[in-house]
Every structure is written in structure tokens, then in C-alpha cells.
Amino acid sequence: MKTSAIVYCENEFGKLDGKVANGLVRHSDKYKIVGVIDSTKSGLDSGEHLDGIKNEIPIFQNFNQAIEMLDTIPEYFIYGIAPLEALLSDDEKNIIYTAIKAGMHIVNGLPEFLSDDEVCIKLAKKYNVSIFDVRKPPSKEKLHHFTGKIQDVQTPIITVSGTDCAVGKRTTALKLVEALKNEGLSAIFITTGQTGILQGSKYGIAIDMLSSGFATGEVENAILEALKEQPDIIVVEGQGALSHPAFTSSSAIIRGAMPGAIILQHPPKRQTRCDFPKILMPTLESEIKMLEIFSGSKVIAITINHEGMNDLEVERTIKTYEEKYQLPVTDVLKNDCSKLIEKLQEIFPDLICINPLLCQPQE
């Protein structure tokens, strides 16, 4: 049974820095999201604002309004913003303190750990609540070095990489896993960031908080653990972009996963890097070339992030990209994953449906 949670995302819901809240509203195996706090979208339905489809998760003006309007106090308060400068303001800390006093457990995805905050520690003890810093890495004796065992894996491993941060890599990966399961295949998602952990992913860790000596090994280990379930295919979430000068996590994921194929997520209308307005976006050509040289694998498909695009622009872009790159192209939020699955089955002939009841062709 899912536990109830409210997500704090002041002024960022539906935006790039609101990606944690956006992801939780779209999908969560762990929490039942009962509301979002963002005064700039107060009164709206979160699903309708995000994707044009109502989900009955309301957006509240502030914490007090949320508590007043909900039938019961949620069990968890989730900080749902992922800014570049990830430090809490005094006002945000006060909201978290108020949530603790209301008896709510705190879930924090920032690299500023609330379990190290003296006020939080005292309040949590007083009100008998827990603080979960999901990006806080395990102690070093529990971390894993790279072993090279990933080289012997025969199960297809796919990474969903991107040309930038916050372009929808995790969303595309989850949609693909869901579609593969609907085909009767056993597919496992490996998360590499805080949002995937918050959504309830069984395998993975927030690798951006690990030292370079452990990041690759933790990706490899997550896949090796998942293989114990004998899946047909494993889909690994990418982080950032291999070409992005500010982050190294993308290279650790490719090294640790050694993917047999790569899907590349791209926002056609984005001109500059997320949170870095002076750094231009790479071209698809340059990112594909870099990924293929670095990984030794092929980019097999392109997936679109439709930010700033209308439906006609999306369809025109898909057609243009398919002609230009001779690859399947789709937007998994507006269309589906059928092109991706067809390509995967072409590349991995053994990736066939194992459940005959689910493999019947649709009429």
C-alpha cells in the first residue's frame, strides 16, 4: 500500500527545476501523491497543468491551505525542487520545520542533507518523525568498486541518454519499461538519480553524490543485482549529457552499464544548457558521435522532449529527424514506444515476448 505524500515545488512545478515533483505526479510506485504546493499554480489540477490530462492531484497555495483542505495530514512531505544551487533558504527550512511539527516524515532529494541539520534533528526526535535524505550515499564499506563482470552479461542493456539535463530521460525510460512489460517482456528500470529513488525504483542509486571511484561500480552493481530476477532487458536512466562540461555522471553510467544500445533524448527548441544560459546546446550529430565513440555502441533511436513545441511542430520534427538520421524518432508522452520496441527487437532478435497471451497482434 502506498503512503500518502505532499510535494513542495514553489514556483517550479512544470518547469525544469521542478523535475522531481513533475516525475512524482506522473509516476510513483512508492507514494500516493495527494497534492503539490506551488502558489503560482494554486487551484489547478497538477496533471492537467503538466500534461493536459487531469489526475485529481490538486495544487495548493501553501502548506497551511494544503493541510486545511486535505481530509488527513499526509504521512510524508517531499521537497520536490532540484535547482542547480541546491541549498535551502530560511523560508524553505521553516516550511520543513512546520511539516515536522505536523507529524510528517521528511523526504529530501537535495545534496544538502537535512539529517545533518541540528534543528531538524531535534524536531524529528521531539515529534517522532524520520528524515530521509535520498541522495545521501551509503558508507564507503557498503559501496561497490567496478569489477568488470558487466562485460559478461548477455541480457540486453539499454541506456536512455540525453543532450542536456532535465530533458525527460527518466520519463522516457519508465515509459519504455512499461511498454515492454505490456508486450509480455520482463523489463527492469535502473535509476541513477533521486527522482527515480523517490518514485520507488528497486534498483539504483543517486550517482552524482558518489566519488569517481565508486560511481561506475554502483551502476554495474545495480545491474548485476537486477539480473538476479532474470529480466529480458534492462533500461538504465541517463544523467546530464556526455558532452555537458558541468557533470561527469553520464560517463560513469555508460562505463558501468556498457550498454548494447543507446536511446538519445533531445529538446529541439532548447537553445542553451539547462541552468547554463551561456553554454549552447550541442547538436544531435555531435552528441551521437561522442556517445558512439565513447561507448562503442550505437544510438538506435531519438526521443523528443516537446518543451516549447505544439503538436504540429512535434510531428514535423519527428519526420525531419527520421529522414535526416535514418533512425526511429518519437515523443513518448504524445505518442508511444512502439517504434522503440520494434527497433529493439530488430537489434536483439532474442528479445521476443515470453507471454503468448500478451503477444497476440492487436486488431
Side-chain angles (χ1 to χ4, degrees), residues 108-163:
N108 169 42
L110 294 176
E112 178 184 4
F113 302 137
L114 294 175
S115 57
D116 296 333
D117 181 279
E118 290 186 7
V119 177
C120 275
I121 294 170
K122 291 179 181 178
L123 286 174
K125 184 176 181 180
K126 179 178 180 180
Y127 292 94
N128 194 31
V129 302
S130 299
I131 297 171
F132 301 94
D133 290 313
V134 298
R135 281 167 83 178
K136 195 170 191 176
S139 56
K140 288 187 177 180
E141 61 269 17
K142 293 182 180 180
L143 291 170
H144 300 83
H145 288 288
F146 182 77
T147 67
K149 292 179 181 178
I150 195 73
Q151 296 177 97
D152 301 323
V153 173
Q154 299 301 308
T155 302
I157 299 171
I158 312 303
T159 61
V160 180
S161 300
T163 54

Side-chain angles (χ1 to χ4, degrees), residues 268-320:
K269 283 294 187 76
R270 193 178 296 186
Q271 299 297 312
T272 59
R273 302 275 196 178
C274 172
D275 292 325
F276 293 89
K278 293 184 179 180
I279 303 179
L280 295 176
M281 284 286 292
T283 63
L284 272 171
E285 290 89 344
S286 66
E287 197 72 32
I288 290 171
K289 183 178 181 180
M290 183 179 290
L291 281 166
E292 293 186 341
I293 291 173
F294 187 85
S295 69
S297 297
K298 291 290 184 181
V299 172
I300 64 163
I302 298 168
T303 46
I304 298 295
N305 177 322
H306 59 253
E307 64 182 45
M309 303 173 72
N310 58 41
D311 290 348
L312 182 58
E313 288 174 317
V314 170
E315 292 309 310
R316 284 177 175 171
T317 300
I318 288 173
K319 184 178 180 181
T320 299

Side-chain angles (χ1 to χ4, degrees), residues 214-230:
F214 292 108
T216 301
E218 280 299 314
V219 173
E220 179 194 45
N221 182 69
I223 293 171
L224 296 177
E225 287 296 309
L227 284 168
K228 294 177 181 179
E229 294 190 30
Q230 298 183 322

